[in-house]
């Protein structure tokens, strides 16, 4: 939180990229845990949609888009969602950086977006195979 911000509200521009995800979805929580293990504690922040600190970020997203996909809020305040967010996250992680850079250089982000949509459309089915463990929460 920045000086002068009301208590309990997230700043509009985070100190590190923030992953916003559906905290009620077992598959989404499992995906966020997987990403958290690879990101390390300093690279990404994580907030489920229903966290009060996620509210100021979600208010900037059109209502019909909020829970359709996960979102990445970059340090600049820019929002990426779905496949585009996945490529940006890859580029920020040590072990996946070159893979993400290759995808971007070859302009394959739309392919990643399609792959993401296919997987995302199966969240309910995939959730049956995921533990009920909580997803990560780390902010700012």
């Amino acid at each position: 939180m920045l000086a002068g911000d009301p208590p309990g509200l997230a700043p509009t521009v985070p100190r590190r990229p923030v992953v916003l995800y559906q905290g009620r979805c077992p598959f989404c929580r499992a995906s966020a845990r997987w990403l958290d293990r690879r990101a390390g504690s300093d690279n990404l922040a994580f907030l489920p949609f229903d966290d009060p600190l996620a509210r100021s970020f979600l208010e900037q997203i059109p209502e019909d888009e909020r829970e359709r996909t996960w979102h990445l809020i970059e340090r600049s305040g820019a929002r990426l969602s779905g496949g585009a967010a996945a490529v940006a996250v890859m580029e920020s992680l040590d072990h996946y950086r070159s893979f993400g850079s290759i995808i971007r250089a070859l302009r394959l982000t739309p392919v990643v977006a399609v792959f993401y949509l296919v997987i995302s459309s199966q969240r309910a089915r995939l959730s049956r195979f995921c533990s009920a463990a909580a997803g990560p929460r780390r902010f700012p």
Side-chain angles (χ1 to χ4, degrees):
M1 185 153 17
L2 302 174
D5 282 346
L9 292 179
T12 6
V13 179
R15 291 190 305 204
R16 60 183 162 189
V18 181
V19 172
L20 301 172
Y21 66 95
Q22 177 54 265
R24 294 184 309 258
C25 168
F27 178 73
C28 301
R29 290 192 312 261
S31 298
R33 287 192 307 270
W34 182 89
L35 184 57
D36 183 33
R37 286 191 301 272
R38 277 134 192 92
S41 62
D42 294 331
N43 292 336
L44 294 172
F46 291 87
L47 291 173
F49 291 159
D50 57 357
D51 191 292
L53 292 175
R55 186 175 0 151
S56 67
F57 296 117
L58 291 171
E59 286 172 350
Q60 301 170 32
I61 301 170
E63 222 173 301
D64 63 332
E65 294 178 28
R66 287 182 192 166
E67 295 194 23
R68 189 180 311 162
T69 185
W70 70 289
H71 307 280
L72 177 70
I73 308 299
E74 296 185 315
R75 288 185 193 112
S76 67
R79 173 183 58 98
L80 298 171
S81 300
V87 174
V89 166
M90 280 187 252
E91 289 178 310
S92 72
L93 302 177
D94 292 337
H95 298 318
Y96 300 91
R97 184 169 289 125
S98 36
F99 187 59
S101 296
I102 289 168
I103 289 171
R104 188 172 307 282
L106 295 176
R107 300 178 192 266
L108 295 175
T109 301
V111 174
V112 173
V114 169
F115 180 74
Y116 171 79
L117 286 173
V118 169
I119 297 296
S120 176
S121 71
Q122 299 301 313
R123 285 186 291 186
R125 286 184 181 162
L126 294 169
S127 288
R128 296 184 300 191
F129 304 105
C130 299
S131 84
R137 184 196 180 276
R138 182 173 51 249
F139 188 81

